[in-house]
Amino acid sequence: MEKATSPRATEKRNISGKYINIGNEGFESIRNGEYVDKSKLICFVNSCLNTPQKLICVSRPRRFGKSFATKMLCAYYTRGCDSLKLFEDLDIAGDISFRKHLNKYDVLYLDITLFLSTIAQDEHLVDHMEVAIIKDLAEFYPVAEGQHNLVDALRKINELTGDKMILIIDEWDAMFRECRDQNKILDQYILLLRSLFKSSLTDRLFAGVYMTGILPIKKYGHESAVSDFYEYSMVEPRPLQSYIGFTEEEVGALCEKYQMEFQMMKKWYDGYHVGDIHVYNPKSVMESILRNTYSNYWTKTETYEALRDYIDMNFDGLKDAIIDMLGEQSLEVDTGSFQNDMTSMKSRDDVLTLLIHLGYLAYNEKNRTVFIPNTEIREEFVRAIKNGNRKELMKAVMRSDALLSATWAADGKKAAEIIGDIHNEETSPNFYNNEQALRSVIKTAYLSSVDHYTRMEELPAGKGYADIVFWPRQGTVHPPIIVELKWSKTEKAALQQIKDKNYPAVLSGYKGDILLVGVAYNTDTKSHSCAIEKITV
């Protein structure tokens, strides 16, 4: 008799709730802007529905499109709205599963950051969350009214309809990040998750569960309530690596459409990759297109203090690791010991792995190394170092400031002395005696250039390649710098090569002073020399 009272056919089915069946307006808003088609993610989720792999947790750094994906999934699965027009021109429309699941499910969508911003963070936080969700469910299914916990309300609805829901939880780990010292809240939150994800009950209530977060979940100690999830993280993203951010092909198409320089986009925002797939920061790419310039956009969404605090820990020579990476070296890292939280760091590897998940470092799965991915992140590291508490790193910054001053003053002797000190102190013996080491030293030595130059890079110049070119920021009083490096030759030979191959031609259109810097290393005497000359064009 109870089934006959189901509101399935009533007008309430077409009402958008606050948490249940929120509709497709969020994705419609996304489609009204410049949308990069990531709809094939739906194919993957469809393939997991009602299988042992239906519990999906995707962890990504902030502003890497996690909420875009959840809004897309809500629009696709939610019963009671017609989303055909939003998807019929996207890649998913050509998949055999497209119409089978389109708008066929009740979708329960929980944004944990919303609860944290609207409910007082006291010991009753989780209770208030459950009350709010149950109240919303009762608007659709009166049978849920009067239930004291969420899982009982969902069980009642399932008994009434016989249908399974899709559960989507956005930023599931926000509770652990925002309430990290409030054990009572966290314990209650864990009990809630444990009640939802008991194996037998999950199979009965949910056709699929899709969670997003910043950190992976499988080592969260007593948070093992969610240990049955299949995780796709920045360290192990396969087969979802194409959905981490924008691929190279997608960025290339955007650059062509908006007449942006692809190589500049690559220099600033590329660097995250899995196998042959390069991944770009989507927030920064879209912001640079909107503003028609290249700058630090993703890092502006959070202050550098968080990065600075982790650097200041200096576990196991972390300071040296940061200096090496600023010189564009890659370092080996063991990601296996990381406990997947922001407070249990016990080693350098733990901190480096955390920075991978936060998006500050990129990970090469083939050789298990870590590195600074691009110009945008490199500048953030420099700022964190310059405002940090590590005397060793501050020494590097102060020495870099002195090198810049010596360069601007055309004091080759002083510049050579500083470069020599950095080469001796910051380069490991196994990496010392080669030209790549000297190039890394120079890039590290000039780390303070971020305050005055937009970028430094190796560029085609005239009849050859300038080793390093420093492009001045708009409005700076300092001239561009062209550096040529020589191994077992003289600094004068380096300067002459800059002139013979017309390296200043790379600065086409520039008028004013240019500093030409020749740096040489004598392998016999193990000494450095430097010649600096100013020319005017």
Side-chain angles (χ1 to χ4, degrees):
M1 293 296 293
E2 189 176 33
K3 280 187 177 289
T5 65
S6 169
R8 182 184 304 277
T10 71
E11 61 180 355
K12 282 193 174 183
R13 301 291 293 181
N14 297 316
I15 298 174
S16 293
K18 191 174 182 180
Y19 309 112
I20 182 73
N21 294 345
I22 65 171
N24 57 19
E25 287 82 4
F27 188 57
E28 182 180 20
S29 177
I30 293 171
R31 288 300 321 265
N32 287 337
E34 180 64 61
Y35 176 65
V36 174
D37 189 350
K38 296 293 183 179
S39 63
K40 276 295 187 73
L41 174 65
I42 298 171
C43 298
F44 175 78
V45 179
N46 282 348
S47 71
C48 297
L49 295 180
N50 296 306
T51 73
Q53 292 78 42
K54 66 177 174 291
L55 301 181
I56 299 168
C57 183
V58 176
S59 58
R60 297 285 181 268
R62 56 191 168 78
R63 299 304 182 93
F64 264 69
K66 297 189 297 295
S67 295
F68 273 40
T70 59
K71 290 176 181 177
M72 177 183 70
L73 294 174
C74 283
Y76 174 75
Y77 288 114
T78 296
R79 193 190 334 248
C81 60
D82 184 359
S83 300
L84 179 61
K85 290 184 178 180
L86 290 175
F87 290 97
E88 61 184 358
D89 62 332
L90 301 181
D91 290 341
I92 179 61
D95 190 80
I96 192 173
S97 69
F98 174 55
R99 290 184 181 270
K100 178 180 178 181
H101 300 287
L102 179 65
N103 300 136
K104 295 295 197 303
Y105 295 87
D106 284 327
V107 176
L108 181 59
Y109 173 74
L110 307 178
D111 180 354
I112 304 304
T113 59
L114 177 63
F115 290 115
L116 289 169
S117 63
T118 58
I119 300 176
Q121 293 183 21
D122 57 28
E123 61 183 19
H124 303 294
L125 170 61
V126 178
D127 291 334
H128 292 322
M129 280 177 52
E130 288 197 78
V131 169
I133 298 168
I134 293 170
K135 182 179 179 181
D136 193 54
L137 288 171
E139 290 293 314
F140 282 74
Y141 296 102
V143 71
E145 193 168 354
Q147 298 303 314
H148 297 293
N149 56 71
L150 178 57
V151 72
D152 285 342
L154 293 173
R155 187 186 292 114
K156 286 289 186 180
I157 294 171
N158 175 260
E159 291 171 355
L160 173 69
T161 67
D163 292 340
K164 297 180 181 181
M165 290 186 180
I166 300 288
L167 173 61
I168 297 176
I169 304 179
D170 199 7
E171 300 284 4
W172 84 274
D173 61 338
M175 194 74 73
F176 297 100
R177 290 183 272 117
E178 299 296 327
C179 305
R180 64 178 67 180
D181 297 321
Q182 301 183 57
N183 291 330
K184 187 166 184 178
I185 292 178
L186 297 182
D187 287 342
Q188 290 177 339
Y189 185 54
I190 286 301
L191 288 174
L192 173 61
L193 295 176
R194 184 173 291 124
S195 69
L196 289 172
F197 301 127
K198 288 181 179 178
S199 298
S200 58
L201 187 61
T202 302
D203 291 338
R204 184 173 144 196
L205 296 180
F206 305 118
V209 178
Y210 185 92
M211 294 202 314
T212 76
I214 291 180
L215 298 180
I217 60 178
K218 65 183 177 184
K219 294 180 183 175
Y220 253 116
H222 69 297
E223 293 95 300
S224 58
V226 288
S227 61
D228 289 336
F229 276 74
Y230 284 77
E231 297 180 74
Y232 307 92
S233 71
M234 294 298 285
V235 173
E236 297 179 325
R238 295 178 185 270
L240 303 184
Q241 62 267 36
S242 297
Y243 309 109
I244 294 174
F246 291 166
T247 65
E248 196 152 71
E249 293 76 13
E250 291 164 347
V251 173
L254 287 169
C255 287
E256 184 176 356
K257 180 177 179 179
Y258 291 98
Q259 298 183 325
M260 300 288 288
E261 187 180 343
F262 174 73
Q263 288 302 323
M264 283 293 291
M265 198 75 80
K266 184 179 182 68
K267 186 74 176 178
W268 272 90
Y269 310 121
D270 186 18
Y272 310 94
H273 57 82
V274 177
D276 297 329
I277 296 180
H278 282 245
V279 177
Y280 291 65
N281 184 317
K283 158 70 176 176
S284 299
V285 169
M286 295 310 300
E287 190 90 1
S288 68
I289 289 174
L290 175 67
R291 300 179 183 276
N292 195 33
T293 189
Y294 308 93
S295 185
N296 302 74
Y297 298 117
W298 175 70
T299 54
K300 287 178 181 177
T301 63
E302 182 175 290
T303 58
Y304 63 80
E305 278 85 356
L307 178 59
R308 181 194 66 191
D309 291 344
Y310 293 121
I311 292 175
D312 285 344
M313 291 179 179
N314 200 31
F315 285 123
D316 307 324
L318 180 61
K319 178 267 300 185
D320 296 321
I322 298 299
I323 290 294
D324 288 342
M325 287 189 292
L326 285 170
E328 297 194 348
Q329 293 186 42
S330 296
L331 303 173
E332 291 186 2
V333 61
D334 177 9
T335 61
S337 64
F338 182 54
Q339 295 300 305
N340 297 350
D341 63 42
M342 295 184 174
T343 58
S344 300
M345 270 71 69
K346 297 180 180 178
S347 68
R348 184 183 84 167
D349 285 337
D350 288 344
V351 176
L352 294 177
T353 305
L354 173 62
L355 295 179
I356 295 171
H357 291 297
L358 295 179
Y360 287 109
L361 295 176
Y363 180 67
N364 187 326
E365 63 173 356
K366 291 183 179 179
N367 55 25
R368 298 181 181 181
T369 57
V370 67
F371 54 94
I372 296 174
N374 51 48
T375 298
E376 181 180 41
I377 304 301
R378 188 179 187 279
E379 290 192 1
E380 191 70 2
F381 267 95
V382 172
R383 290 189 182 91
I385 288 171
K386 295 184 76 171
N387 293 278
N389 297 317
R390 293 240 60 87
K391 293 181 179 179
E392 303 94 333
L393 291 174
M394 283 304 299
K395 178 182 177 182
V397 172
M398 293 172 64
R399 199 154 48 183
S400 180
D401 289 340
L403 176 59
L404 269 177
S405 296
T407 303
W408 292 329
D411 188 343
K413 183 178 179 181
K414 183 65 174 178
E417 179 184 325
I418 297 171
I419 291 170
D421 288 344
I422 295 172
H423 198 170
N424 291 328
E425 292 182 23
E426 307 295 352
T427 306
S428 64
N430 293 334
F431 191 62
Y432 190 96
N433 287 306
N434 62 64
E435 192 167 349
Q436 180 58 38
L438 184 57
R439 183 175 285 102
S440 295
V441 165
I442 295 299
K443 290 184 176 182
T444 301
Y446 279 100
L447 64 88
S448 286
S449 67
V450 68
D451 292 330
H452 310 281
Y453 296 88
T454 59
R455 65 190 192 274
M456 60 176 175
E457 56 189 321
E458 181 177 344
L459 287 175
K463 301 175 183 178
Y465 282 80
D467 272 317
I468 305 171
V469 178
F470 295 82
W471 298 76
R473 290 187 178 278
Q474 187 175 2
T476 185
V477 299
H478 300 293
I481 301 172
I482 298 176
V483 181
E484 177 64 24
L485 308 175
K486 285 298 179 184
W487 195 258
S488 293
K489 293 184 180 180
T490 67
E491 72 280 12
K492 293 181 179 179
L495 269 185
Q496 193 60 46
Q497 181 169 318
I498 294 176
K499 299 173 183 177
D500 291 345
K501 295 193 174 183
N502 193 25
Y503 287 171
V506 74
L507 300 166
S508 177
Y510 173 81
K511 294 181 179 180
D513 294 335
I514 301 175
L515 288 174
L516 311 182
V517 180
V519 178
Y521 177 70
N522 188 312
T523 55
D524 294 329
T525 63
K526 293 183 170 53
S527 62
H528 301 75
S529 56
C530 178
I532 303 173
E533 183 178 322
K534 181 187 293 184
I535 65 171
T536 302
V537 297

